[in-house]
Amino acid sequence: MASTNIKLTKDELKNEIELYLYDFKRIHDSFEIYKGIKKSASEYSKEINSISQLIVPILGSLQYTFLIGLAKMLLEDEDKNIQNLLTLCGYNKDVFPTEHRRQYLDDEGKIIIPPDIEKVNIQEDIKNIRIQLKIYKQAINNLDTIRNKFLAHSDEEYYNNVSRLFKENTITYAEVEKLIKIIKDSLNTLIKDLADTTWIFTKEGVEDFTYICKALKENKEMHIKRLKGGKNNE
């Protein structure tokens, strides 16, 4: 278990929070692509069906990535979990500023006075994050069971009946999405409190998949037009 009672400098703590953000990016990106493929199923059903042998294992891999990643981030028996990070930040509360002062320039390049001031209360923010996580304690417990009996290990009891495992330990799509949002907002709150910066998470992978579907659709339509043109010329 990673130690949470180590004194760190501001830069060291910032690096630690960023390590969590890098890990979270994999969770976020895999979930967004998974969600994007599912959403595209109605508009591009024919295109997706035509490459189903490719899509099915991709969906399975994406689901595994965001579920196992979410479990590692949320479960307290993991070294790098969100609760440990909150405790570490609380132990190093003295390196957090009490406010952020932002100075802006006017059209003539002069500093605008007074500056924009935002108060920082890291202990209050840690408390609020823990409250948010507590609301989803049952979903997190169910995710723990799914990880232990299926994702990380193959439990003999559920080996041939995985659907039963998910039925007995329900974690809904909405709960997964909410937990991912809580982690994203929490990590951004911590790094914003410390360094007055935040991370932006994009949906580039989703856009790439949509582009592929559009290309498949357009290619098929062009192929059909060429076939019809050939018949009309006979």
Side-chain angles (χ1 to χ4, degrees):
M1 186 66 65
S3 179
T4 56
N5 59 349
I6 299 175
K7 283 296 182 182
L8 301 176
T9 66
K10 182 178 178 179
D11 285 342
E12 287 172 338
L13 186 56
K14 182 173 181 285
N15 288 339
E16 185 68 17
I17 297 171
E18 286 179 337
L19 287 176
Y20 278 80
L21 281 160
Y22 280 116
D23 286 344
F24 173 73
K25 187 177 185 303
R26 281 190 72 206
I27 300 170
H28 172 273
D29 290 353
S30 59
F31 180 73
E32 288 298 328
I33 296 170
Y34 179 90
K35 187 168 66 172
I37 293 175
K38 290 286 191 180
K39 188 177 179 180
S40 299
S42 56
E43 185 177 357
Y44 298 105
S45 59
K46 292 180 180 178
E47 289 70 34
I48 290 175
N49 285 336
S50 71
I51 54 172
S52 61
Q53 289 184 322
L54 176 65
I55 294 298
V56 171
I58 287 175
L59 284 172
S61 179
L62 290 169
Q63 186 181 54
Y64 175 86
T65 299
F66 68 72
L67 284 178
I68 199 74
L70 196 58
K72 288 180 178 180
M73 193 73 74
L74 289 169
L75 301 176
E76 294 184 36
D77 61 346
E78 294 284 347
D79 283 345
K80 294 184 73 64
N81 69 73
I82 189 73
Q83 294 289 357
N84 277 357
L85 181 61
L86 293 173
T87 302
L88 182 66
C89 288
Y91 190 77
N92 288 276
K93 62 183 183 297
D94 294 339
V95 304
F96 284 84
T98 57
E99 63 183 26
H100 293 304
R101 287 176 170 262
R102 306 184 190 95
Q103 290 187 319
Y104 303 99
L105 302 178
D106 61 19
D107 294 338
E108 296 179 355
K110 296 178 180 179
I111 295 175
I112 299 173
I113 299 176
D116 177 25
I117 299 175
E118 182 180 355
K119 296 294 182 182
V120 175
N121 189 333
I122 183 58
Q123 289 180 295
E124 187 66 22
D125 286 337
I126 289 172
K127 178 183 174 182
N128 290 334
I129 291 169
R130 290 195 195 276
I131 290 171
Q132 284 290 308
L133 291 170
K134 192 174 181 179
I135 293 171
Y136 290 89
K137 184 173 178 57
Q138 185 58 57
I140 294 171
N141 289 341
N142 288 346
L143 180 61
D144 186 17
T145 303
I146 291 170
R147 178 201 61 171
N148 290 334
K149 294 185 178 294
F150 176 64
L151 296 174
H153 314 282
S154 295
D155 192 288
E156 186 176 347
E157 181 183 358
Y158 297 100
Y159 186 78
N160 293 316
N161 194 356
V162 177
S163 60
R164 180 181 146 223
L165 173 64
F166 280 86
K167 186 176 181 180
E168 292 175 356
N169 301 274
T170 303
I171 178 167
T172 66
Y173 185 90
E175 287 171 332
V176 169
E177 189 164 31
K178 183 62 179 178
L179 285 168
I180 288 174
K181 185 179 186 304
I182 289 173
I183 294 174
K184 180 182 72 174
D185 293 346
S186 299
L187 294 176
N188 263 334
T189 294
L190 295 176
I191 201 162
K192 187 173 188 299
D193 282 356
L194 183 67
D196 196 21
T197 186
T198 55
W199 280 36
I200 296 173
F201 296 91
T202 63
K203 299 182 179 181
E204 293 177 2
V206 180
E207 294 168 359
D208 290 342
F209 180 75
T210 302
Y211 175 81
I212 291 170
C213 287
K214 285 181 178 178
L216 285 170
K217 186 175 183 178
E218 290 171 2
N219 183 65
K220 186 174 182 180
E221 288 172 350
M222 288 175 61
H223 180 65
I224 291 171
K225 283 182 181 179
R226 283 198 298 268
L227 287 176
K228 286 183 177 179
K231 288 181 178 180
N232 291 335
N233 292 329
E234 290 178 358

